[in-house]
Amino acid sequence: MSYVNVADRVGEQLISTAKRVQDLSLNTLSSVTERVANFVPELPQLPFADRLPQPRDIAEKTFGFWEGVLEAQKDYTFRLIDALEPLSGKGDRRTARGRKPHKATAQD
């Protein structure tokens, strides 16, 4: 089994496990909040509360930002690999056996 196959399987298992743990924690939190909601008193309204961003809006903006950062890093990584491609065959037996390096194009 190749490194890539093992990495894919391990990654899939980690993501699956993380999702199961998230589901468990959310179910537990929902159960607790439903039980204690009646015991929590109403909080006074702050005069500036209507100007504060909603938690969902903050999460959307934050994830949008990090998705952009990740996309930029991914693009940079593949452009870096393409830029190094002319050197990748030096001493690499796989390239010496006929693998052609990928040529960067304007669309890359």
Side-chain angles (χ1 to χ4, degrees):
M1 187 178 299
S2 75
Y3 167 79
V4 173
N5 290 342
V6 171
D8 282 345
R9 292 180 88 192
V10 169
E12 289 170 5
Q13 290 174 354
L14 285 171
I15 291 169
S16 175
T17 300
K19 287 180 178 181
R20 284 196 306 269
V21 170
Q22 290 169 346
D23 288 343
L24 177 64
S25 69
L26 289 171
N27 289 337
T28 301
L29 180 62
S30 293
S31 177
V32 169
T33 56
E34 286 173 9
R35 289 195 172 126
V36 300
N38 293 331
F39 300 106
V40 176
E42 285 291 323
L43 298 174
Q45 188 69 19
L46 298 174
F48 56 86
D50 59 334
R51 292 184 291 204
L52 295 174
Q54 294 297 309
R56 185 172 301 278
D57 295 334
I58 295 170
E60 297 248 351
K61 290 293 184 189
T62 302
F63 278 102
F65 169 77
W66 286 111
E67 287 168 356
V69 169
L70 186 59
E71 186 61 36
Q73 284 300 110
K74 179 181 176 182
D75 179 60
Y76 170 75
T77 299
F78 285 107
R79 289 174 40 218
L80 180 65
I81 291 168
D82 288 343
L84 292 171
E85 195 74 38
L87 299 177
S88 68
K90 307 286 183 182
D92 184 350
R93 284 180 259 135
R94 291 176 297 172
T95 301
R97 284 187 262 160
R99 185 178 67 87
K100 293 183 181 178
H102 171 71
K103 299 283 185 194
T105 65
Q107 283 104 11
D108 287 346

